[in-house]
Amino acid sequence: MNGLILFGHGARDPRWAEPMLRLRERITARAPKTPVELAFLEIMEPDLGAAAANLVARGCTSVTIVPVFLGQGPHVREDLGALVERLRAEHPALDVRCVPPVGEDDGVVDALASCALAALPADR
Amino acid sequence: MNGLILFGHGARDPRWAEPMLRLRERITARAPKTPVELAFLEIMEPDLGAAAANLVARGCTSVTIVPVFLGQGPHVREDLGALVERLRAEHPALDVRCVPPVGEDDGVVDALASCALAALPADR
């Protein structure tokens, strides 16, 4: 079974995670059989290791990590890269995949553009 | 004329801004007459004040600020709130609007869900 990890930055304010929770709900509504965990780089819990351990406990033999970040900053390239290496060392039998950050996805850029244009006053 | 400001966090790595630049291109392709500026909270330039001044210089009488953030963290609620107040004080004739962060937009959440589900291996 393949699990998904939505990997975000984390913040002190619990409201920050609400869009991540909504995203998980949306994914679960569309793919009810796919286990989805959130994971956070800092401040919030669980971290990547704990999220992956949850998925393994739920029977996953592969996990796909989706960085919920705009771009390839140091959090994605360096911090997440190191965390993924550690995860592979800790779970040698687990197939760990990591995709580019969501902000590089063409459909996401299109939705962001629609959102921005819809924000303009009607008389633009 | 109404201008758009795409307000992002900023990062040390110039590659971080690439999705913001692609977003601006996408918006300009769809609304060629709408002036669009990027603005950054920290590290990168221009800041919000300089971006707004550019739009005023280009003839805008209103600006709409779109926070390119996932959620309502302190960067959006506190930092951006204070910057918007300062902007209104500096440009009393300018109509300054600010919308919720893009991560709260339903279409964006949907596109993020599609992106995450497409990342799963084909045999999911």
Side-chain angles (χ1 to χ4, degrees), chain B residues 28-124:
Chain B
T28 300
R30 285 167 59 177
K33 291 181 185 167
T34 298
V36 187
E37 296 276 346
L38 304 187
F40 302 95
L41 175 62
E42 57 186 45
I43 308 164
M44 289 176 163
E45 292 187 334
D47 64 15
L48 189 69
N54 285 344
L55 289 175
V56 169
R58 290 166 75 180
C60 290
T61 52
S62 94
V63 300
T64 299
I65 301 164
V66 178
V68 187
F69 281 79
L70 186 62
Q72 293 278 9
H75 288 322
V76 171
R77 274 204 330 287
E78 292 157 31
D79 300 336
L80 178 56
L83 290 169
V84 166
E85 285 309 299
R86 197 195 305 170
L87 199 59
R88 287 184 173 134
E90 283 171 359
H91 299 273
L94 186 66
D95 180 14
V96 179
R97 302 149 194 245
C98 190
V99 297
V102 294
E104 309 214 331
D105 179 82
D106 204 57
V108 170
V109 175
D110 227 33
L112 291 171
S114 297
C115 167
L117 286 169
L120 284 170
D123 61 347
R124 75 177 161 94

Coordinates of all heavy atoms in Angstrom, one line a residue, chain B residues 28-124:
Chain B
T28 N -0.2 37.5 -16.2 CA 0.0 38.5 -17.2 C -0.5 37.9 -18.6 O -1.1 38.6 -19.4 CB 1.4 39.0 -17.3 OG1 1.8 39.6 -16.0 CG2 1.6 40.0 -18.4
A29 N -0.3 36.6 -18.8 CA -0.8 36.0 -20.0 C -2.3 36.0 -20.0 O -2.9 36.2 -21.1 CB -0.3 34.5 -20.1
R30 N -3.0 35.9 -18.9 CA -4.4 35.9 -18.8 C -5.1 37.3 -18.7 O -6.2 37.4 -19.0 CB -4.9 35.0 -17.7 CG -4.7 33.5 -18.1 CD -4.8 32.6 -16.9 NE -6.1 32.6 -16.2 CZ -6.4 31.8 -15.2 NH1 -5.6 30.9 -14.7 NH2 -7.6 31.9 -14.6
A31 N -4.3 38.2 -18.2 CA -4.9 39.6 -18.0 C -3.7 40.6 -18.3 O -3.2 41.2 -17.4 CB -5.3 39.8 -16.5
P32 N -3.5 40.7 -19.6 CA -2.3 41.5 -20.0 C -2.3 43.0 -19.6 O -1.2 43.6 -19.5 CB -2.3 41.4 -21.6 CG -3.3 40.3 -21.9 CD -4.2 40.2 -20.8
K33 N -3.5 43.5 -19.4 CA -3.6 44.9 -19.0 C -3.4 45.2 -17.5 O -3.3 46.3 -17.1 CB -4.9 45.5 -19.5 CG -5.0 45.6 -21.0 CD -6.3 46.2 -21.4 CE -6.4 46.2 -23.0 NZ -7.8 46.5 -23.4
T34 N -3.4 44.1 -16.7 CA -3.3 44.3 -15.3 C -1.8 44.3 -14.8 O -1.1 43.4 -15.0 CB -4.0 43.1 -14.5 OG1 -5.4 43.2 -14.9 CG2 -3.9 43.3 -13.0
P35 N -1.4 45.5 -14.3 CA 0.0 45.5 -13.8 C 0.2 44.6 -12.6 O -0.7 44.6 -11.7 CB 0.2 47.0 -13.4 CG -1.0 47.7 -13.9 CD -2.1 46.7 -14.0
V36 N 1.2 43.8 -12.6 CA 1.4 42.8 -11.5 C 2.9 43.0 -11.0 O 3.8 43.0 -11.7 CB 1.3 41.3 -11.9 CG1 1.4 40.4 -10.8 CG2 0.0 41.1 -12.7
E37 N 3.0 43.2 -9.7 CA 4.3 43.3 -9.0 C 4.5 42.2 -8.0 O 3.5 41.8 -7.3 CB 4.5 44.6 -8.3 CG 4.4 45.8 -9.2 CD 5.8 46.1 -9.9 OE1 6.8 45.6 -9.4 OE2 5.8 46.9 -10.8
L38 N 5.7 41.6 -7.9 CA 6.0 40.8 -6.7 C 6.4 41.7 -5.6 O 6.9 42.8 -5.8 CB 7.1 39.8 -7.1 CG 7.0 38.9 -8.3 CD1 8.1 37.9 -8.4 CD2 5.7 38.2 -8.3
A39 N 6.2 41.2 -4.3 CA 6.7 41.9 -3.2 C 7.1 40.8 -2.1 O 6.4 39.7 -2.1 CB 5.7 42.8 -2.6
F40 N 8.1 41.1 -1.3 CA 8.6 40.1 -0.4 C 8.6 40.6 1.1 O 8.9 41.8 1.3 CB 10.0 39.6 -0.8 CG 10.0 39.0 -2.2 CD1 10.3 39.8 -3.3 CD2 9.5 37.7 -2.4 CE1 10.2 39.2 -4.6 CE2 9.5 37.1 -3.7 CZ 9.9 37.9 -4.8
L41 N 8.3 39.7 2.0 CA 8.3 40.1 3.4 C 9.8 40.3 3.8 O 10.1 41.3 4.6 CB 7.7 39.0 4.2 CG 7.7 39.1 5.7 CD1 7.0 40.4 6.2 CD2 7.2 37.9 6.4
E42 N 10.7 39.5 3.4 CA 12.1 39.6 3.9 C 13.0 39.0 2.9 O 12.6 38.2 2.0 CB 12.3 39.0 5.2 CG 11.9 37.5 5.3 CD 12.0 36.9 6.7 OE1 11.5 37.6 7.7 OE2 12.5 35.8 6.9
I43 N 14.3 39.4 3.0 CA 15.4 39.0 2.2 C 15.4 39.4 0.8 O 16.3 40.1 0.3 CB 15.6 37.4 2.3 CG1 15.6 37.0 3.8 CG2 16.9 37.0 1.6 CD1 15.4 35.5 4.0
M44 N 14.3 39.1 0.0 CA 14.2 39.5 -1.4 C 13.6 40.9 -1.5 O 13.0 41.4 -0.6 CB 13.4 38.5 -2.1 CG 14.1 37.1 -2.3 SD 13.1 35.9 -3.1 CE 14.4 34.7 -3.6
E45 N 13.9 41.5 -2.7 CA 13.3 42.8 -3.0 C 12.5 42.7 -4.3 O 12.7 41.8 -5.1 CB 14.4 43.8 -3.3 CG 15.2 44.0 -2.0 CD 16.2 45.2 -2.1 OE1 16.7 45.4 -3.3 OE2 16.5 45.8 -1.1
P46 N 11.5 43.6 -4.4 CA 11.1 44.7 -3.6 C 10.3 44.3 -2.4 O 9.7 43.3 -2.4 CB 10.3 45.6 -4.5 CG 9.6 44.6 -5.4 CD 10.6 43.5 -5.6
D47 N 10.3 45.2 -1.4 CA 9.3 45.0 -0.3 C 7.9 45.6 -0.7 O 7.8 46.1 -1.8 CB 9.9 45.7 1.0 CG 10.0 47.2 0.9 OD1 9.4 47.8 0.0 OD2 10.6 47.7 1.8
L48 N 7.0 45.4 0.2 CA 5.6 45.8 -0.2 C 5.5 47.3 -0.6 O 4.8 47.7 -1.5 CB 4.7 45.5 1.0 CG 3.2 45.7 0.6 CD1 2.7 44.6 -0.3 CD2 2.3 45.6 1.9
G49 N 6.2 48.2 0.2 CA 6.1 49.6 -0.1 C 6.7 49.9 -1.5 O 6.1 50.7 -2.2
A50 N 7.8 49.3 -1.8 CA 8.4 49.6 -3.1 C 7.6 49.1 -4.2 O 7.4 49.7 -5.3 CB 9.8 49.0 -3.2
A51 N 7.0 47.9 -4.0 CA 6.1 47.3 -5.1 C 4.9 48.2 -5.3 O 4.5 48.5 -6.4 CB 5.7 45.9 -4.7
A52 N 4.3 48.7 -4.2 CA 3.1 49.6 -4.3 C 3.5 50.9 -5.0 O 2.8 51.4 -5.8 CB 2.5 49.8 -2.9
A53 N 4.7 51.4 -4.6 CA 5.1 52.7 -5.3 C 5.3 52.5 -6.8 O 5.0 53.4 -7.6 CB 6.4 53.2 -4.6
N54 N 5.8 51.3 -7.2 CA 5.9 51.0 -8.6 C 4.6 51.0 -9.3 O 4.4 51.5 -10.4 CB 6.5 49.6 -8.8 CG 8.0 49.6 -8.6 OD1 8.7 50.6 -8.5 ND2 8.6 48.4 -8.4
L55 N 3.6 50.4 -8.6 CA 2.2 50.4 -9.2 C 1.6 51.8 -9.3 O 1.0 52.1 -10.3 CB 1.3 49.4 -8.4 CG 1.6 48.0 -8.6 CD1 0.8 47.1 -7.7 CD2 1.5 47.5 -10.0
V56 N 1.8 52.6 -8.3 CA 1.3 54.0 -8.3 C 2.0 54.7 -9.5 O 1.3 55.4 -10.3 CB 1.6 54.7 -7.0 CG1 1.3 56.2 -7.1 CG2 0.7 54.1 -5.9
A57 N 3.3 54.5 -9.6 CA 4.1 55.2 -10.7 C 3.5 54.7 -12.1 O 3.6 55.5 -13.1 CB 5.5 54.9 -10.6
R58 N 3.0 53.5 -12.1 CA 2.4 53.0 -13.4 C 1.0 53.4 -13.6 O 0.3 53.0 -14.5 CB 2.5 51.5 -13.4 CG 4.0 51.0 -13.6 CD 4.1 49.5 -13.3 NE 3.6 48.7 -14.4 CZ 3.7 47.3 -14.3 NH1 4.2 46.7 -13.3 NH2 3.2 46.6 -15.3
G59 N 0.5 54.2 -12.7 CA -0.9 54.8 -12.8 C -2.0 54.1 -12.1 O -3.2 54.3 -12.3
C60 N -1.6 53.2 -11.2 CA -2.7 52.5 -10.4 C -3.3 53.4 -9.3 O -2.5 54.1 -8.6 CB -2.1 51.2 -9.8 SG -1.7 49.9 -11.0
T61 N -4.6 53.3 -9.2 CA -5.2 54.0 -8.1 C -5.7 53.0 -7.0 O -6.2 53.4 -6.0 CB -6.4 54.8 -8.6 OG1 -7.2 54.0 -9.4 CG2 -5.9 56.0 -9.5
S62 N -5.7 51.7 -7.4 CA -6.0 50.7 -6.4 C -5.0 49.5 -6.5 O -4.5 49.3 -7.6 CB -7.4 50.2 -6.5 OG -7.5 49.1 -7.3
V63 N -4.7 48.9 -5.4 CA -3.9 47.7 -5.4 C -4.5 46.6 -4.6 O -5.1 46.9 -3.6 CB -2.4 47.9 -4.9 CG1 -1.7 49.0 -5.7 CG2 -2.4 48.3 -3.4
T64 N -4.4 45.4 -5.1 CA -5.0 44.2 -4.4 C -3.8 43.4 -4.1 O -3.0 43.0 -5.0 CB -5.9 43.5 -5.3 OG1 -7.0 44.3 -5.7 CG2 -6.5 42.2 -4.6
I65 N -3.6 43.1 -2.8 CA -2.5 42.3 -2.3 C -2.9 40.9 -2.1 O -3.9 40.6 -1.4 CB -2.0 42.9 -1.0 CG1 -1.5 44.3 -1.2 CG2 -0.8 42.0 -0.4 CD1 -1.3 45.1 0.1
V66 N -2.3 39.9 -2.8 CA -2.6 38.5 -2.7 C -1.4 37.8 -1.9 O -0.3 37.7 -2.4 CB -2.7 37.9 -4.1 CG1 -3.0 36.4 -4.0 CG2 -3.8 38.6 -4.9
P67 N -1.7 37.4 -0.7 CA -0.6 36.7 0.1 C -0.4 35.3 -0.5 O -1.3 34.5 -0.4 CB -1.1 36.7 1.5 CG -2.3 37.7 1.6 CD -2.9 37.6 0.2
V68 N 0.8 35.1 -1.0 CA 1.1 33.8 -1.6 C 1.7 33.0 -0.5 O 2.9 32.7 -0.4 CB 2.1 33.9 -2.8 CG1 2.2 32.5 -3.5 CG2 1.5 34.9 -3.8
F69 N 0.8 32.7 0.5 CA 1.2 31.9 1.7 C 0.1 30.8 1.8 O -1.0 31.0 1.3 CB 1.1 32.8 2.9 CG 2.3 33.7 3.1 CD1 2.4 34.8 2.4 CD2 3.3 33.3 4.0 CE1 3.5 35.6 2.6 CE2 4.4 34.1 4.2 CZ 4.5 35.3 3.5
L70 N 0.5 29.7 2.5 CA -0.4 28.6 2.7 C -1.6 29.0 3.6 O -2.8 28.8 3.4 CB 0.3 27.4 3.2 CG -0.5 26.1 3.3 CD1 -1.0 25.7 2.0 CD2 0.3 25.1 4.0
G71 N -1.2 29.6 4.7 CA -2.3 29.9 5.7 C -2.1 31.2 6.5 O -1.2 32.0 6.2
Q72 N -2.9 31.4 7.5 CA -3.0 32.6 8.3 C -1.9 32.5 9.4 O -2.3 32.5 10.6 CB -4.3 32.7 8.9 CG -5.4 33.0 7.9 CD -5.5 34.5 7.5 OE1 -4.7 35.3 7.8 NE2 -6.5 34.8 6.8
G73 N -0.7 32.4 9.1 CA 0.4 32.4 10.1 C 0.6 33.9 10.5 O 0.0 34.8 10.0
P74 N 1.6 34.1 11.4 CA 1.9 35.4 11.9 C 2.4 36.3 10.8 O 2.3 37.5 10.8 CB 2.9 35.2 13.0 CG 3.3 33.8 12.9 CD 2.3 33.0 12.2
H75 N 3.1 35.7 9.7 CA 3.6 36.5 8.7 C 2.5 37.2 7.9 O 2.6 38.4 7.5 CB 4.3 35.7 7.6 CG 5.6 35.2 8.1 ND1 6.5 35.9 8.9 CD2 6.3 34.0 7.9 CE1 7.6 35.2 9.2 NE2 7.5 34.0 8.6
V76 N 1.3 36.6 7.8 CA 0.2 37.2 7.1 C -0.6 38.1 8.1 O -0.8 39.2 7.8 CB -0.7 36.1 6.5 CG1 -2.0 36.7 5.9 CG2 0.0 35.3 5.4
R77 N -0.9 37.5 9.2 CA -1.8 38.3 10.1 C -1.1 39.5 10.7 O -1.7 40.6 10.8 CB -2.3 37.4 11.2 CG -3.6 36.6 10.8 CD -4.4 36.2 12.0 NE -3.5 36.1 13.2 CZ -2.7 35.0 13.4 NH1 -2.7 34.1 12.5 NH2 -2.0 35.0 14.4
E78 N 0.1 39.3 11.2 CA 0.8 40.4 11.9 C 1.7 41.2 11.0 O 1.5 42.4 10.8 CB 1.6 39.8 13.1 CG 0.6 39.3 14.2 CD 1.3 38.2 15.1 OE1 2.5 38.4 15.3 OE2 0.6 37.3 15.5
D79 N 2.7 40.5 10.4 CA 3.6 41.3 9.6 C 2.9 42.0 8.4 O 3.1 43.2 8.2 CB 4.7 40.4 9.0 CG 5.5 39.7 10.1 OD1 5.5 40.2 11.2 OD2 6.0 38.6 9.9
L80 N 2.1 41.3 7.6 CA 1.5 41.9 6.5 C 0.5 42.9 6.9 O 0.3 44.0 6.3 CB 0.8 40.8 5.6 CG 0.1 41.3 4.4 CD1 1.0 42.2 3.5 CD2 -0.5 40.2 3.6
G81 N -0.3 42.6 8.0 CA -1.2 43.6 8.5 C -0.6 44.9 8.8 O -1.1 46.0 8.4
A82 N 0.6 44.9 9.5 CA 1.3 46.1 9.8 C 1.8 46.8 8.5 O 1.7 48.1 8.4 CB 2.5 45.8 10.7
L83 N 2.3 46.0 7.6 CA 2.8 46.6 6.3 C 1.6 47.3 5.5 O 1.8 48.4 4.9 CB 3.4 45.6 5.4 CG 4.8 45.0 6.0 CD1 5.2 43.8 5.1 CD2 5.8 46.1 5.9
V84 N 0.4 46.7 5.6 CA -0.7 47.3 4.9 C -1.1 48.6 5.5 O -1.4 49.6 4.9 CB -1.9 46.3 4.8 CG1 -3.2 46.9 4.4 CG2 -1.5 45.1 3.9
E85 N -1.1 48.6 6.9 CA -1.4 49.8 7.6 C -0.5 51.0 7.2 O -0.9 52.1 6.9 CB -1.3 49.6 9.1 CG -2.5 48.8 9.7 CD -3.8 49.4 9.3 OE1 -4.1 50.6 9.6 OE2 -4.6 48.7 8.6
R86 N 0.8 50.6 7.1 CA 1.8 51.6 6.8 C 1.6 52.1 5.3 O 1.7 53.3 5.0 CB 3.2 51.0 6.9 CG 4.3 52.1 7.0 CD 5.7 51.6 6.8 NE 6.0 50.5 7.7 CZ 7.1 49.7 7.6 NH1 8.0 49.9 6.6 NH2 7.3 48.8 8.5
L87 N 1.3 51.2 4.5 CA 1.0 51.5 3.1 C -0.1 52.5 2.9 O -0.1 53.5 2.2 CB 0.7 50.2 2.3 CG 0.8 50.2 0.8 CD1 2.3 50.6 0.4 CD2 0.5 48.9 0.2
R88 N -1.2 52.2 3.7 CA -2.4 53.1 3.6 C -2.0 54.5 4.2 O -2.5 55.5 3.7 CB -3.5 52.5 4.5 CG -4.1 51.3 3.7 CD -5.3 50.8 4.5 NE -6.0 49.7 3.7 CZ -6.4 48.6 4.2 NH1 -6.2 48.2 5.4 NH2 -7.0 47.7 3.4
A89 N -1.2 54.6 5.2 CA -0.8 55.9 5.7 C 0.1 56.6 4.7 O 0.0 57.9 4.6 CB 0.0 55.6 7.1
E90 N 0.9 55.9 4.0 CA 1.9 56.6 3.1 C 1.1 57.0 1.8 O 1.6 57.9 1.1 CB 3.0 55.6 2.7 CG 4.1 55.5 3.8 CD 5.1 54.4 3.5 OE1 5.0 53.7 2.5 OE2 6.0 54.3 4.3
H91 N 0.1 56.3 1.4 CA -0.6 56.5 0.2 C -2.1 56.7 0.5 O -2.9 55.8 0.1 CB -0.4 55.4 -0.9 CG 1.0 55.2 -1.3 ND1 1.6 55.9 -2.3 CD2 1.9 54.3 -0.8 CE1 2.9 55.5 -2.4 NE2 3.1 54.5 -1.5
P92 N -2.5 57.8 1.1 CA -3.9 57.9 1.5 C -4.9 57.9 0.3 O -6.0 57.4 0.5 CB -4.0 59.3 2.2 CG -2.6 59.9 2.2 CD -1.7 58.9 1.5
A93 N -4.5 58.2 -0.8 CA -5.4 58.2 -2.0 C -5.5 56.9 -2.7 O -6.3 56.6 -3.5 CB -4.9 59.3 -3.0
L94 N -4.6 55.9 -2.3 CA -4.6 54.6 -2.9 C -5.5 53.7 -2.2 O -5.6 53.6 -1.0 CB -3.1 54.1 -2.8 CG -2.8 52.8 -3.5 CD1 -2.9 52.9 -5.0 CD2 -1.4 52.3 -3.1
D95 N -6.4 53.0 -3.0 CA -7.3 52.0 -2.5 C -6.5 50.7 -2.3 O -6.2 50.0 -3.3 CB -8.5 51.9 -3.4 CG -9.5 50.9 -3.0 OD1 -9.5 50.5 -1.8 OD2 -10.3 50.4 -3.8
V96 N -6.2 50.3 -1.0 CA -5.4 49.1 -0.8 C -6.3 48.0 -0.3 O -7.0 48.1 0.8 CB -4.3 49.4 0.3 CG1 -3.5 48.2 0.6 CG2 -3.4 50.6 -0.2
R97 N -6.4 46.9 -1.0 CA -7.2 45.8 -0.6 C -6.2 44.6 -0.3 O -5.2 44.5 -1.0 CB -8.1 45.3 -1.7 CG -9.1 46.4 -2.2 CD -9.4 46.2 -3.7 NE -10.0 47.4 -4.2 CZ -11.3 47.5 -4.6 NH1 -12.0 46.4 -4.6 NH2 -11.8 48.6 -5.1
C98 N -6.6 43.7 0.6 CA -5.8 42.6 0.9 C -6.8 41.4 1.0 O -7.8 41.5 1.7 CB -5.0 42.8 2.1 SG -3.8 41.6 2.4
V99 N -6.5 40.3 0.3 CA -7.4 39.1 0.3 C -6.7 38.0 1.2 O -5.6 38.1 1.6 CB -7.7 38.6 -1.1 CG1 -8.4 39.7 -1.9 CG2 -6.4 38.2 -1.8
P100 N -7.5 37.0 1.5 CA -6.9 35.9 2.3 C -5.8 35.2 1.6 O -5.7 35.3 0.4 CB -8.1 35.0 2.6 CG -9.3 35.8 2.3 CD -8.9 36.8 1.3
P101 N -4.9 34.5 2.3 CA -3.8 33.8 1.6 C -4.3 32.8 0.6 O -5.4 32.2 0.8 CB -3.1 33.1 2.8 CG -3.9 33.2 4.0 CD -4.9 34.4 3.8
V102 N -3.6 32.5 -0.4 CA -4.0 31.6 -1.5 C -4.3 30.2 -1.0 O -5.2 29.6 -1.6 CB -2.9 31.6 -2.6 CG1 -2.8 32.9 -3.3 CG2 -1.6 31.1 -2.1
G103 N -3.7 29.8 0.1 CA -3.9 28.4 0.6 C -5.3 28.2 1.1 O -5.7 27.1 1.4
E104 N -6.1 29.3 1.3 CA -7.4 29.2 1.7 C -8.4 29.2 0.6 O -9.6 29.1 0.8 CB -7.8 30.4 2.7 CG -6.7 30.5 3.7 CD -7.2 31.0 5.1 OE1 -8.3 31.7 5.1 OE2 -6.6 30.6 6.1
D105 N -7.9 29.3 -0.6 CA -8.8 29.3 -1.8 C -9.2 27.9 -2.2 O -8.4 27.0 -2.3 CB -8.1 30.0 -3.0 CG -8.9 30.1 -4.2 OD1 -9.7 31.0 -4.3 OD2 -8.7 29.2 -5.1
D106 N -10.5 27.7 -2.4 CA -11.0 26.4 -2.7 C -10.4 25.8 -4.0 O -10.0 24.6 -4.0 CB -12.5 26.4 -2.9 CG -13.2 25.1 -2.6 OD1 -12.9 24.6 -1.5 OD2 -13.9 24.6 -3.5
G107 N -10.2 26.6 -5.0 CA -9.7 26.1 -6.3 C -8.2 25.7 -6.1 O -7.7 24.7 -6.7
V108 N -7.5 26.5 -5.2 CA -6.1 26.1 -5.0 C -6.0 24.8 -4.2 O -5.2 24.0 -4.5 CB -5.4 27.3 -4.2 CG1 -4.0 26.9 -3.7 CG2 -5.3 28.5 -5.1
V109 N -6.9 24.6 -3.2 CA -6.8 23.4 -2.4 C -7.1 22.2 -3.4 O -6.5 21.2 -3.3 CB -7.9 23.4 -1.3 CG1 -7.9 22.1 -0.6 CG2 -7.5 24.5 -0.3
D110 N -8.0 22.4 -4.3 CA -8.4 21.3 -5.3 C -7.2 21.0 -6.1 O -6.9 19.8 -6.4 CB -9.5 21.8 -6.1 CG -10.6 20.8 -6.3 OD1 -10.8 20.0 -5.3 OD2 -11.2 20.7 -7.3
A111 N -6.5 22.0 -6.6 CA -5.3 21.8 -7.5 C -4.2 21.2 -6.7 O -3.4 20.3 -7.2 CB -4.8 23.2 -8.0
L112 N -4.0 21.5 -5.4 CA -3.0 20.9 -4.5 C -3.4 19.4 -4.3 O -2.5 18.5 -4.4 CB -3.0 21.6 -3.2 CG -2.4 23.0 -3.1 CD1 -2.6 23.6 -1.8 CD2 -0.9 23.0 -3.5
A113 N -4.6 19.1 -4.2 CA -5.1 17.7 -4.0 C -4.7 16.9 -5.3 O -4.2 15.8 -5.2 CB -6.5 17.6 -3.7
S114 N -5.0 17.5 -6.4 CA -4.7 16.8 -7.7 C -3.3 16.6 -7.9 O -2.8 15.5 -8.3 CB -5.2 17.7 -8.9 OG -6.6 17.8 -8.8
C115 N -2.5 17.6 -7.5 CA -1.0 17.5 -7.6 C -0.5 16.3 -6.7 O 0.3 15.5 -7.1 CB -0.4 18.8 -7.2 SG 1.4 18.8 -6.9
A116 N -1.0 16.3 -5.4 CA -0.6 15.2 -4.5 C -1.0 13.9 -5.0 O -0.2 12.9 -5.0 CB -1.2 15.5 -3.1
L117 N -2.2 13.7 -5.5 CA -2.7 12.4 -6.0 C -1.9 12.0 -7.2 O -1.6 10.8 -7.4 CB -4.2 12.4 -6.2 CG -5.0 12.5 -4.9 CD1 -6.5 12.8 -5.2 CD2 -4.9 11.1 -4.2
A118 N -1.6 12.9 -8.1 CA -0.8 12.6 -9.3 C 0.6 12.1 -8.9 O 1.3 11.4 -9.7 CB -0.7 13.8 -10.2
A119 N 1.1 12.5 -7.7 CA 2.4 12.1 -7.3 C 2.5 10.6 -6.8 O 3.6 10.0 -6.7 CB 2.9 13.0 -6.1
L120 N 1.3 10.0 -6.6 CA 1.3 8.6 -6.1 C 1.8 7.7 -7.3 O 1.4 8.0 -8.4 CB -0.1 8.2 -5.7 CG -0.5 8.7 -4.3 CD1 -2.0 8.4 -4.1 CD2 0.3 8.0 -3.2
P121 N 2.4 6.6 -7.0 CA 2.8 5.6 -8.0 C 1.5 5.1 -8.7 O 0.4 5.1 -8.1 CB 3.5 4.5 -7.3 CG 3.5 4.8 -5.9 CD 2.9 6.2 -5.7
A122 N 1.6 4.7 -9.9 CA 0.5 4.3 -10.8 C -0.3 3.2 -10.1 O -1.5 3.1 -10.4 CB 0.9 4.0 -12.2
D123 N 0.3 2.3 -9.4 CA -0.4 1.1 -8.8 C -1.0 1.4 -7.5 O -1.4 0.4 -6.8 CB 0.7 0.0 -8.7 CG 1.8 0.4 -7.7 OD1 1.9 1.6 -7.4 OD2 2.5 -0.5 -7.2
R124 N -1.3 2.6 -7.2 CA -1.9 2.9 -5.9 C -3.3 2.3 -5.8 O -3.8 2.1 -4.7 CB -2.0 4.4 -5.6 CG -3.0 5.1 -6.4 CD -3.1 6.6 -6.1 NE -3.8 7.4 -7.1 CZ -5.1 7.6 -7.1 NH1 -5.9 7.2 -6.1 NH2 -5.6 8.3 -8.1

